[in-house]
């Protein structure tokens, strides 16, 4: 039978024991973990934090060589931006990167690198590279040229156009010349071409000349 004095001492010791100490003394760490990130408290499970074995969070909750202060509730204190910690924690929960429309991917990448979460780092970098590639794509420009030719040259010129040029419009300018016994009408032939530019602004066609029978078209500058 315990004496009143001993019972009071045991109650005092139990009250002074830090949160979670009883679980550790019993050989377990408990299921739930509190994290105080930059003043914002997050509640999650130890299983979630340990999903990436090499991450800072996994090592923290397993007590590996990492020393972290705790607040008055026993939550681990982490001096990082809580705004970007939410996507980090959700990725550990379900394996998907979900961001609000106003959240910068660069900020989440910085935190993912700090916590050493390899799969998330690769996902964000791939998304950023894909966006950069999309932004740098320059839509093609349409370049138009007007060719002046005689009636006898018209059929051959239209049928043998090359280098990406294509026929757009034919205009009879109403002039005619007499060559021997035949009158030759004169036409203006409008042709066009798609000019693809690279991100540095230089055309892949810059050094080429497009040739059409009867005339030469200088490449657009």
């Amino acid at each position: 039978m315990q004496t009143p004095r001993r019972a009071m001492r045991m109650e005092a010791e139990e009250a002074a024991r830090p949160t979670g100490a009883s679980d550790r003394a019993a050989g377990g760490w408990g299921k739930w973990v509190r994290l105080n990130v930059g003043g914002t408290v997050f509640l999650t499970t130890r299983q979630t934090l340990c999903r990436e074995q090499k991450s800072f969070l996994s090592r923290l909750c397993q007590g590996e060589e990492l020393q972290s202060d705790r607040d008055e509730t026993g939550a681990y204190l982490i001096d990082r931006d809580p705004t970007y910690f939410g996507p980090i924690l959700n990725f550990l929960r379900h394996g998907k990167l979900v961001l609000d429309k106003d959240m910068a991917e660069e900020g989440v990448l910085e935190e993912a690198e700090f916590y050493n979460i390899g799969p998330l780092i690769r996902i964000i970098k791939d998304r950023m590279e894909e966006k950069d590639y999309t932004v740098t794509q320059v839509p093609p420009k349409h370049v138009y040229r007007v060719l002046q030719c005689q009636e006898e040259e018209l059929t051959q010129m239209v049928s043998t156009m090359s280098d990406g040029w294509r026929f757009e419009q034919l205009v009879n300018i109403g002039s005619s010349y007499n060559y021997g016994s035949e009158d030759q009408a004169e036409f203006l032939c409008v042709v066009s071409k798609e000019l693809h530019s690279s991100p540095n602004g230089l055309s892949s066609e810059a050094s080429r000349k497009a040739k059409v029978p009867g005339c030469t078209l200088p490449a657009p500058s």
Side-chain angles (χ1 to χ4, degrees):
M1 181 175 180
Q2 295 181 351
T3 64
R5 179 176 296 179
R6 183 174 180 179
M8 292 176 61
R9 183 169 65 252
M10 292 180 64
E11 291 175 0
E13 290 175 353
E14 183 67 27
R17 184 177 298 172
T19 302
S22 59
D23 291 335
R24 293 195 297 274
W29 284 77
K31 179 179 179 180
W32 293 95
V33 180
R34 294 168 64 88
L35 302 172
N36 186 332
V37 182
T40 301
V41 176
F42 295 84
L43 182 64
T44 187
T45 64
R46 196 168 304 279
Q47 180 182 6
T48 296
L49 297 180
C50 294
R51 184 128 322 148
E52 289 298 323
Q53 295 296 321
K54 296 182 180 180
S55 71
F56 169 88
L57 296 171
S58 177
R59 296 173 60 195
L60 178 67
C61 69
Q62 293 181 21
E64 294 185 12
E65 303 175 358
L66 298 177
Q67 299 297 325
S68 178
D69 293 333
R70 300 195 182 203
D71 63 14
E72 63 278 1
T73 69
Y76 290 105
L77 287 167
I78 302 177
D79 186 21
R80 301 297 293 184
D81 190 340
T83 303
Y84 298 108
F85 185 73
I88 299 287
L89 187 56
N90 284 332
F91 178 81
L92 293 175
R93 286 168 173 157
H94 49 60
K96 296 180 181 179
L97 175 60
V98 181
L99 302 178
D100 293 337
K101 62 178 181 179
D102 297 327
M103 183 169 291
E105 290 177 334
E106 292 85 351
V108 182
L109 176 61
E110 185 71 23
E111 297 306 295
E113 290 176 339
F114 172 80
Y115 294 111
N116 193 30
I117 303 176
L120 180 56
I121 294 173
R122 290 190 291 272
I123 289 175
I124 299 175
K125 285 186 175 180
D126 288 345
R127 285 177 54 162
M128 293 174 64
E129 289 176 1
E130 184 178 348
K131 282 187 177 181
D132 290 341
Y133 177 80
T134 302
V135 170
T136 55
Q137 294 304 295
V138 180
K141 295 180 180 179
H142 282 82
V143 180
Y144 294 87
R145 290 289 183 267
V146 178
L147 312 175
Q148 186 171 352
C149 59
Q150 298 170 3
E151 184 177 3
E152 64 180 8
E153 302 170 328
L154 183 61
T155 301
Q156 182 184 7
M157 183 194 69
V158 173
S159 63
T160 59
M161 282 191 300
S162 61
D163 258 354
W165 292 93
R166 72 179 182 184
F167 173 76
E168 293 287 347
Q169 186 177 2
L170 183 67
V171 179
N172 188 335
I173 60 177
S175 299
S176 62
Y177 298 89
N178 185 280
Y179 294 93
S181 59
E182 296 182 0
D183 290 337
Q184 292 289 328
E186 197 160 3
F187 295 89
L188 295 180
C189 183
V190 182
V191 295
S192 70
K193 181 179 183 179
E194 281 190 356
L195 183 64
H196 295 271
S197 299
S198 59
N200 59 13
L202 299 178
S203 168
S204 59
E205 306 289 335
S207 60
R208 301 173 58 188
K209 289 185 177 181
K211 295 185 178 180
V212 178
C215 35
T216 300
L217 298 178
S221 58

